[in-house]
Structure formats: structure tokens, C-alpha cells
Amino acid sequence: MTVEEVIAKKPNGLGIRHLQVIMMFLALLLAFSMRVNLSMGIVAMTDPDGENTFDWSLSIQSMILSSFFWGYIVLQIPGGVLASRFGGKILILICIGVNSLITLLIPTAARLGDWQMVCACRVLQGLSQGFIYPSLHTLVAKWVPLEEKGRLGTVVYVGGQLGTAFQHIAAGFIADLWGWPAIFYVTGTIGAIWTIVYIIIGSSSPQESRFITSEERLYIQTSLGQIGGHKRYKTPWKAIFTSMPFISLIIAHCGQNWGHWTLITEIPSYMSKVLGVDIKHNGIISALPYLALFVLSIPNGFVADYILKKKWLSITASRKLFNSIGAYGPAIALICLSYTPADVVIATSLLVVVVGINAGHFAGYILVHIDMAPNFAGQMMGITNFFANIISLITPLAAGAILQDESDPSEWRKVFYVSAGVYILCNTIFVIFATSEKQPWNEVEENIRSQK
């Protein structure tokens, strides 16, 4: 039976692969909810007019908020190796399970150990969330057929943005109704429920699933070239780090994080100091850009798959097209934002456009890891995410060095121009050097054959 014959017999309706994608989407939604809940919760936790609050200075609050990333960076690359060796299921369970438990304990930790104990909790959360992207990339590489990678891959990765939006909207209402500890209790409880459900229905690959039909398993395996059983390969570290297409992925990921974290960390100050609106205290305005990103990402994924189905573009050209939309579009919008008059509606609208258009990257560079070397997608994502999150730490420092007067629009213009320049430069390198062609080092000398 030929590949075309098998693909033509694609199972009708929804299958187990769709259920796995939904669970991965929810995992990332919950991971980001637990990542950002303290950003919203700390406002209520330090409210002098509230009950059971803390007298934490701004420097202590900043230390608490940054402590997550102290742990997050550490396990990115090891997470990719472990996901490849043990499968994505166990690592994603560790990530969400540990984060849910710690989230439930944060109110008690704050009361018993003050800010020092909260920092310790956040470091542990960051450590376990170091597994999230490597394990998800490994799972997507095993579960999502090539013909559906654009739309289903996008569904998975947009979960983080929707989790951020939901947390921004919900945290204030939850704190008003039940007090600030409920922010952590609600998120932690939902995460614990997800963990129990995923233990039952989750699987590292179609080969290991107890619920998948043989027809759907064969469809996925044939599409991904996995017929003949799952093999484990020795990671070709030298080949990966000396591959110019992969280096261009690192650069693209770093450029994405520079622009994204400039928006997340600096736009609240811009809106406050220049436009007179403190969006940190306005959950709806804070959530709008992330909701726009979610809304625009789904059609992006479908269009990307449709283009490939019709063979209008090669996989490489399609990935570069959508990544360019996600990078050049925000660059232009940021330049426009720098000349926007002091009008909240116009500025907010442009901010929504900047973040919304950035949805293109979900059908862009983020899938190229899997295209290039599906056997090492987890390791590759761990590497690019490691460097990209170093950029996340540098970005606010760079903006702080540029800004001499936060109320001066011309100073902010410099910040936006730098971000736009980084978007353009990094994506241009990606367009020149990246490829979705499967690399020869994807199948190196076999190391271990899975017995499953």
C-alpha cells in the first residue's frame, strides 16, 4: 500500500490525536496561567487596604516575579534530552503536576515563610516548567500528521497565550470574590484535575496509546514516516550546533522573545507614563492582545495547511511566509506605535495589532524544529528556548538602559525602534538560512530500539 493510499484513507471525524492535542493545549494554557498568576495576584497580595496582605517593597516584588525564570532556563536542554529518552507524557505530567501542587501551597508558603518562601516556590515552578516546551514538541512530533501540523500545532502552542489572557481577566474577579489566595487555589485545583485525566488518557505516541484505532495509528505513522516501530537515536550534538539552518532557528526564536517580552514588560509602563493608563490594574485591556493572538492564530494554522495541501508553496516557503508575517508585521506596527498620539484607544488598538499579527510565528519557525529533525524536536526546542529565555531576561534591562525619561515619547520611540529592528534582522536571517527539509543527521547511528 502506498503512502498516498493510506493518506487518502484518513479517518473520518475526530480521533485520539485530536484528544491528545486538546490535552496539550490545556497543559500549556495551565502552565502559563500558573506562570503569570502571581503577576496579577501580587497586586492584591500587597494591597495595603486588603486582608492578609504583605508589605513587600517594589524591589522584593520584582525579585519574586523574576525568580520563576531563574529555574526555568536551567532544564530547557536537559528537558529535551529526557523527553526524547522517556517520552513526552511523563515530563508534561511532572510539569503540570508539580506546578499545580506548588500553586496550591503558595498562599501557605507566603504566610509561613514570607517572600523568601514564595521565591523558592517560584524557582521550583520554573524548574519543572523547563520541561513544558521540549515535551510538547516531542509529543507534537509523534502525534500530529504532516498534513495537519499547521492547524493542530497552532492549537497546541496558542494555549499559552490564552492562559495568559484568562489569568489577566479572571484573577481580579476571583480576588474580589474570595480573596487573593483563591487565585492560586482555583488554578492549582484545575491543574490537579488535568493531571489525573492525562494520567488516564495521555500517551507519548500513537504506538503506546490504548485508545487509538489501528486505522488512525497507521495514518499518523505513515504520514510521519514512523512505520516499523519507534526508534531512539543518539543525539548528534555537533551536527545540531554546527547546522546553519538550526542556528537560524535559534536567532528567530530569540528575535521573537525580544519583541514579545518588550511588549509584556514595557508596554504597561508606556501606557501608564505616556498615556496615563495603568493596564496592570485593568485585566481586560491587559488581556486584549493575547485574545487577538489566539483569535488570529487558528485561521493562520488552517491557511498554512491549506497552502500545503494545494501545493502552492513548499513547506519551507510556507513556514518562512508565516514567520515573516509574524515578525515584519509587528515591526511595522511598533514603528507606527512610536508615532501614535497620546490616545488610549489608538495605542491599545495598535498594541492589539502588534501582538495579533505575531500569531504568524505559530505556523512559522516554531514548527521548523519538527520539520527539520522530528527525532530531536524536543532537544532542539530546549536549545532554542534556552537562548531565547536568556533574551527574555536581557530585554527589560536593555529597555531600562535606553529609557532615561519614561514620560518622554521620544525615549519610547527608541525602544520600539530597537524591537522592530530585532524583529526584522532575526527574521531576515531565518528567511535566508532556515529550511524545513529533513536533515541528514535526523537519523544517525541507532542507539536504542524501543521495546514498546
Side-chain angles (χ1 to χ4, degrees):
M1 185 178 291
T2 66
V3 171
E4 289 77 16
E5 287 172 333
V6 174
I7 291 176
K9 293 185 177 181
K10 171 183 173 182
N12 294 323
L14 299 177
I16 295 300
R17 68 189 185 282
H18 298 104
L19 179 61
Q20 299 298 319
V21 164
I22 290 170
M23 292 303 292
M24 287 186 262
F25 161 80
L26 292 174
L28 199 55
L29 185 151
L30 287 166
F32 270 71
S33 293
M34 290 184 279
R35 181 183 301 193
V36 305
N37 58 9
L38 192 59
S39 300
M40 303 301 294
I42 203 166
V43 176
M45 293 171 74
T46 56
D47 184 356
D49 298 323
E51 296 181 3
N52 301 315
T53 57
F54 303 92
D55 184 21
W56 293 335
S57 66
L58 288 176
S59 61
I60 288 176
Q61 292 181 48
S62 298
M63 188 179 300
I64 293 171
L65 293 175
S66 67
S67 59
F68 175 92
F69 293 97
W70 305 346
Y72 184 62
I73 292 176
V74 174
L75 292 181
Q76 290 294 323
I77 298 176
V81 175
L82 292 171
S84 177
R85 184 168 184 178
F86 299 107
K89 177 179 177 178
I90 184 64
L91 290 189
I92 205 168
L93 280 172
I94 291 172
C95 171
I96 304 300
V98 169
N99 268 262
S100 300
L101 176 61
I102 294 175
T103 298
L104 290 169
L105 293 176
I106 281 178
T108 302
R111 286 192 291 267
L112 298 180
D114 204 44
W115 66 269
Q116 295 92 337
M117 189 64 72
V118 176
C119 277
C121 288
R122 293 292 286 176
V123 170
L124 290 174
Q125 285 188 304
L127 279 169
S128 59
Q129 282 210 27
F131 293 143
I132 188 70
Y133 276 106
S135 59
L136 282 176
H137 244 49
T138 300
L139 289 166
V140 169
K142 301 298 182 187
W143 272 103
V144 180
L146 176 63
E147 300 77 17
E148 303 173 1
K149 205 173 294 293
R151 56 186 181 273
L152 295 186
T154 296
V155 168
V156 170
Y157 294 112
V158 79
Q161 313 307 322
L162 195 60
T164 301
F166 279 172
Q167 195 61 230
H168 275 88
I169 295 172
F173 292 109
I174 292 173
D176 286 341
L177 286 173
W178 302 306
W180 65 262
I183 295 174
F184 304 99
Y185 294 146
V186 169
T187 312
T189 300
I190 297 173
I193 294 170
W194 180 95
T195 302
I196 294 169
V197 173
Y198 194 70
I199 288 173
I200 299 170
I201 67 173
S203 179
S204 290
S205 69
Q207 294 93 319
E208 299 176 17
S209 175
R210 296 174 294 165
F211 304 103
I212 193 170
T213 64
S214 57
E215 182 185 15
E216 185 180 10
R217 181 185 293 114
L218 184 60
Y219 165 62
I220 297 171
Q221 289 178 315
T222 305
S223 175
L224 299 177
Q226 295 175 352
I227 295 295
H230 172 54
K231 299 177 181 178
R232 293 178 184 166
Y233 295 97
K234 184 177 181 180
T235 305
W237 294 110
K238 182 178 179 181
I240 290 174
F241 278 106
T242 56
S243 167
M244 192 59 213
F246 177 67
I247 292 172
S248 74
L249 273 187
I250 297 176
I251 293 171
H253 200 158
C254 289
Q256 162 63 24
N257 270 34
W258 183 289
H260 183 70
W261 284 97
T262 294
L263 296 174
I264 287 178
T265 59
E266 300 305 324
I267 287 299
S269 297
Y270 171 75
M271 298 287 279
S272 174
K273 303 296 183 181
V274 177
L275 303 180
V277 177
D278 190 352
I279 67 171
K280 283 185 178 178
H281 291 81
N282 190 324
I284 302 296
I285 293 179
S286 298
L288 278 176
Y290 302 104
L291 291 174
L293 188 62
F294 172 75
V295 169
L296 291 177
S297 65
I298 303 302
N300 265 342
F302 276 91
V303 172
D305 282 344
Y306 188 77
I307 287 173
L308 295 180
K309 180 180 179 180
K310 293 295 184 179
K311 298 183 179 179
W312 292 340
L313 293 173
S314 66
I315 298 176
T316 297
S318 175
R319 303 291 189 242
K320 290 180 179 181
L321 170 64
F322 282 92
N323 208 72
S324 296
I325 293 171
Y328 293 148
I332 294 170
L334 275 171
I335 293 171
C336 294
L337 182 62
S338 68
Y339 291 98
T340 298
D343 184 287
V344 175
V345 174
I346 296 175
T348 302
S349 299
L350 270 174
L351 178 58
V352 169
V353 169
V354 171
V355 179
I357 295 176
N358 187 235
H361 82 274
F362 289 119
Y365 84 87
I366 205 165
L367 296 178
V368 177
H369 303 71
I370 302 171
D371 297 331
M372 285 177 60
N375 289 327
F376 308 110
Q379 293 98 312
M380 291 165 63
M381 174 52 80
I383 294 168
T384 64
N385 210 30
F386 170 79
F387 287 106
N389 277 283
I390 292 176
I391 294 297
S392 301
L393 297 176
I394 294 174
T395 298
L397 299 177
I402 293 171
L403 288 169
Q404 302 300 315
D405 181 359
E406 288 188 319
S407 63
D408 185 354
S410 65
E411 294 288 302
W412 283 99
R413 195 169 296 139
K414 298 174 186 176
V415 174
F416 295 149
Y417 261 96
V418 169
S419 294
V422 170
Y423 265 135
I424 292 170
L425 175 62
C426 292
N427 186 67
T428 300
I429 293 172
F430 174 79
V431 168
I432 294 171
F433 294 106
T435 180
S436 286
E437 296 294 325
K438 193 170 291 185
Q439 298 299 290
W441 40 266
N442 178 59
E443 295 185 4
V444 294
E445 180 183 356
E446 187 177 336
N447 186 28
I448 303 173
R449 182 181 292 270
S450 175
Q451 300 301 317
K452 296 183 179 180

